[in-house]
Amino acid sequence: MSVEKRYKICAGIDFQKEVPNVCFWAAQMKEPEPLSLDFSGCTDHKGCFRKILSALKRYEEKDKICAAIILPDLSPQEISQYERDACEAGFLPEQLLILGEEECLAHFVMHQSNDIWQHQVWYLEFGTEEIKARMIQVNKRSRPMLVQVLPPAYWYVGSLESRERDDRLLEAVRENIVNNQVSAVFVTGTDLNENDYKKSREALCSRRRVFLGEQITARGACMVAREKEQNKPYLFLNEQTLLYNLGVAGIQEGEEITYTIVRAGCNWYEAKKSCEVILQGDAALDFSFCPMSGGEAIHKEMILTDFPTRPNGATRLLLEVCFHSPLQCEIKVTDLGFGEMYPASELCWTESYRIGEEEEEDGTGYAL
């Protein structure tokens, strides 16, 4: 589901609410912009996708459009259903990217100037009676920098007509923001007007930058899609992302090296990779899982049992990697032989590896 450079328009489609929010980012635009659409005649997600694709084709040819879709639930069933609906509406599988809210917020914040994310950044989404508050923090000491979005907190502030709404918000701001190092706050779902939020507005805007914005997650999705293949100085981590670089040991110009197959930071359901290697030495492969948080790599050996007898370097192997969760990796190895002299056998080997049990048990696996 990676997005290629040939796409000239990236659309961010936020399905977290009943009616999707859509932004798009064309090559000539400096920032993503909202795409205003009327979904009143759409009875399902497939109809929404059709309307979105039709609107985007006014700006660019279909094969130069990609779509980053934000889902409220990243279960394999939900991902498959939305992908199916999008493809039946006219998108191709390679044009789609599935994201969660946290990843979009992280990339939106990191796309801002450095002074915005020097300290904590808060994202406040105003509802009718409560505010969904999320905090984004960056570990600038690590290389690459690690970005984390904490689970949401819900601040009950009462109805829009309540006279206590300003006081309740002021209390939450003092507890979570005023007494911490916060460099910026993004607010959506309100104009934060002085009449309704006089006291809380003053506390919120004191010694920090506050921005009013709409469709921030959809904008962030556009940024993820457009910059997917670029090398970034930061790495986003959450419960959906891989915390380990997966590599295989090899030899290059007489030196032992580790060839990286899958890099940490991508979503586990996207981490489907394949490569070919030449077998050197014994009929075994040494896979390493190198943690981004530091520490020793975890090594797993795969023994290729009943391997045919061949000279050293006379075997090509196809390695296919996929993940069933952030900590569950499956590797399949297929014998491709080596030309007509050593034809491919029908042998293949599959192993499933569980990694990071200790981190998961003590609850520190995602600490920055």
Side-chain angles (χ1 to χ4, degrees):
M1 291 189 290
S2 63
V3 176
E4 299 177 7
K5 294 180 180 179
R6 65 184 176 91
Y7 297 117
K8 294 187 177 181
I9 286 186
C10 295
I13 308 171
D14 189 349
F15 270 105
Q16 294 186 98
K17 295 182 179 179
E18 186 175 350
V19 176
N21 286 322
V22 185
C23 288
F24 74 108
W25 197 0
Q28 70 275 15
M29 295 162 51
K30 292 184 178 181
E31 294 286 341
E33 295 181 2
L35 185 65
S36 298
L37 296 171
D38 180 10
F39 293 104
S40 57
C42 302
T43 58
D44 54 15
H45 296 145
K46 194 186 308 180
C48 295
F49 280 121
R50 283 200 186 100
K51 187 174 285 289
I52 293 168
L53 182 57
S54 177
L56 293 172
K57 287 195 300 186
R58 296 199 298 264
Y59 299 93
E60 196 57 73
E61 298 175 6
K62 174 187 167 181
D63 62 351
K64 296 180 181 178
I65 298 170
C66 69
I69 306 167
I70 308 168
L71 302 184
D73 177 12
L74 289 174
S75 66
Q77 295 79 11
E78 282 290 289
I79 293 172
S80 297
Q81 183 61 56
Y82 276 86
E83 286 180 331
R84 189 179 308 115
D85 290 340
C87 290
E88 290 180 2
F91 285 99
L92 299 175
E94 59 267 24
Q95 293 177 290
L96 303 177
L97 190 65
I98 303 298
L99 304 170
E101 179 188 28
E102 294 101 339
E103 184 171 6
C104 298
L105 287 177
H107 285 275
F108 177 85
V109 168
M110 297 304 291
H111 195 265
Q112 312 306 312
S113 57
N114 294 10
D115 59 307
I116 298 298
W117 43 266
Q118 279 301 302
H119 302 294
Q120 294 179 4
V121 177
W122 282 80
Y123 173 64
L124 306 182
E125 185 177 358
F126 279 62
T128 54
E129 293 190 349
E130 63 183 10
I131 297 170
K132 182 180 179 182
R134 310 205 72 148
M135 192 262 281
I136 301 98
Q137 61 182 5
V138 183
N139 183 349
K140 298 181 289 295
R141 294 172 297 180
S142 64
R143 291 292 180 273
M145 296 182 292
L146 301 181
V147 185
Q148 188 178 35
V149 181
L150 270 60
Y154 294 89
W155 303 344
Y156 177 78
V157 291
S159 66
L160 295 172
E161 296 78 18
S162 173
R163 296 181 179 178
E164 299 177 353
R165 190 176 175 91
D166 188 25
D167 291 327
R168 287 172 175 160
L169 176 55
L170 175 62
E171 182 180 353
V173 169
R174 284 175 173 171
E175 181 180 349
N176 296 280
I177 296 178
V178 170
N179 295 323
N180 293 310
Q181 286 188 311
V182 178
S183 51
V185 178
F186 291 88
V187 179
T188 187
T190 182
D191 59 1
L192 205 64
N193 65 84
E194 193 171 2
N195 290 331
D196 295 332
Y197 300 101
K198 183 176 181 179
K199 290 179 284 188
S200 56
R201 173 188 169 117
E202 181 180 348
L204 193 63
C205 297
S206 176
R207 296 184 299 172
R208 65 189 60 85
R209 302 179 69 179
V210 178
F211 303 89
L212 301 181
E214 296 298 330
Q215 300 182 331
I216 286 178
T217 50
R219 294 174 189 270
C222 292
M223 296 168 182
V224 175
R226 183 161 167 173
E227 302 173 353
K228 185 68 177 177
E229 302 303 327
Q230 296 182 14
N231 292 323
K232 295 179 285 292
Y234 65 90
L235 187 67
F236 166 71
L237 298 179
N238 73 346
E239 290 81 358
Q240 302 290 335
T241 53
L242 300 182
L243 303 180
Y244 298 82
N245 287 329
L246 167 60
V248 60
I251 298 176
Q252 185 177 41
E253 297 180 354
E255 299 288 335
E256 293 185 359
I257 64 165
T258 298
Y259 174 75
T260 301
I261 304 173
V262 178
R263 295 191 179 277
C266 65
N267 294 316
W268 66 265
Y269 46 82
E270 291 183 299
K272 298 178 182 179
K273 300 289 184 179
S274 63
C275 65
E276 291 186 14
V277 299
I278 302 295
L279 182 64
Q280 301 281 354
D282 298 334
L285 296 172
D286 178 22
F287 295 102
S288 62
F289 297 86
C290 183
M292 288 302 300
S293 57
E296 296 294 326
I298 301 170
H299 290 271
K300 304 285 186 179
E301 186 180 44
M302 178 186 286
I303 305 296
L304 308 180
T305 55
D306 301 322
F307 195 82
T309 302
R310 292 178 187 147
N312 189 33
T315 296
R316 291 185 304 126
L317 298 175
L318 173 65
L319 311 186
E320 297 174 279
V321 177
C322 68
F323 284 76
H324 300 294
S325 78
L327 300 175
Q328 191 74 35
C329 173
E330 182 177 289
I331 303 176
K332 179 181 178 181
V333 178
T334 303
D335 173 29
L336 300 180
F338 202 86
E340 296 181 358
M341 185 173 297
Y342 301 102
S345 67
E346 297 182 355
L347 294 174
C348 66
W349 301 262
T350 302
E351 292 285 351
S352 184
Y353 299 108
R354 177 77 179 176
I355 52 177
E357 289 92 346
E358 292 182 2
E359 288 86 345
E360 185 183 38
E361 289 174 2
D362 64 20
T364 62
Y366 301 99
L368 298 183

